[in-house]
Amino acid sequence: MADIIDIANPTRTQAILNQYGLHAKKKFGQNFLTDLNVLHGIVDVAGITSEDYVIEIGPGIGALTEQLARSAKKVVAFEIDPHMVAVLAETLLPYDNVKVIENDILKVDLAHVIATEFGEGAHVKIVANLPYYITTPILMQLLRAKISWDNIVVMMQREVADRLNAEIGTKAYGVLTLTIQYYAQAQLAIKVPASAFNPSPNVDSAVVMLTPIVPETVVDNPDKLFSVVKGSFAHRRKSLWNNMLQMFGKQEDVKQRIQDALDAVNIASSIRAERLSLNQLTALYEALKLQGLIK
Ligand code: SAM
């Protein structure tokens, strides 16, 4: 077989962009990986085998997609930028196990696509060099989607990676930390310097591996739990009490029911949400339900 030069090769990456008259678009968070060691590292961390169905977010010109296609059974990649989709039609030509779907990942019904492309209820691995401007919404969407995933291995800015396992009471501790704790175990797998990308982002990066867990306390409706968590952190500098009033209203009977819920789970109303563990917030959610504040 003739030597194939990897898409990620720095000279080839630049040549592809020049050929199509393209520049990395900031508004789409385009920073193309040009470091093969990092790409191989991502595929290794995800443990991709010829049995695996893979979802990729933001294939760009195909640097990571190509490496995934060489190891996986099938790859489905979502790309928002039509210019990139046109490039991919050529760069991924050698791989017949890749499907590129032009769409905004935040608008995709993942369960539906998985059923259509891989089969009803198929397990997937999710791999991406994420567009950093929407790292958090994408993570939230993946975790809360009703799909079966074996692992999620994604590149993100180091500052967000640090939030995933943040200690209670710290500035980094928040809704993202708690959502991760409910659904997954997060592990920083590879630290990646800015020089691994073209163009170099102005932040440090890290590849994180998420593996699914069964939560310590399962709730009936995680979406409702997390809207309470979100409301509790809405104004971080304010007390839980003030955030609760904002969430449920200031009528006297509502105030009484909030107070009763807090008393039932031994949480002081003056506390700030960042001092509460997932277990405490889950207990509070159940108590608020008993008070009829959450339907
Ligand atoms: N995977 C390529 C790589 O590693 O070189 C490109 C990664 S680049 C950091 C992020 C990619 O996500 C870009 O191709 C960008 O166009 C795409 N993207 C941005 N927003 C998106 C969205 N909402 N849905 C799908 N793709 C998106």
Side-chain angles (χ1 to χ4, degrees), residues 28-33 56 58-60 63 78-81 103-105 129-131 133-134:
F28 288 143
Q30 289 174 355
N31 297 91
F32 305 109
L33 266 170
E56 190 199 357
F78 296 97
E79 174 57 61
I80 198 171
D81 182 351
N103 205 344
D104 175 347
I105 186 64
N129 170 18
L130 290 173
Y133 73 107
I134 44 170

Side-chain angles (χ1 to χ4, degrees), residues 26 58 142 145-146 161 163 202 211 219 259 267 279:
K26 251 200 164 121
L142 297 178
K146 294 188 173 55
R163 275 169 32 208
N202 47 18
T211 36
V219 298
Q259 189 59 60
I267 294 176
N279 276 339

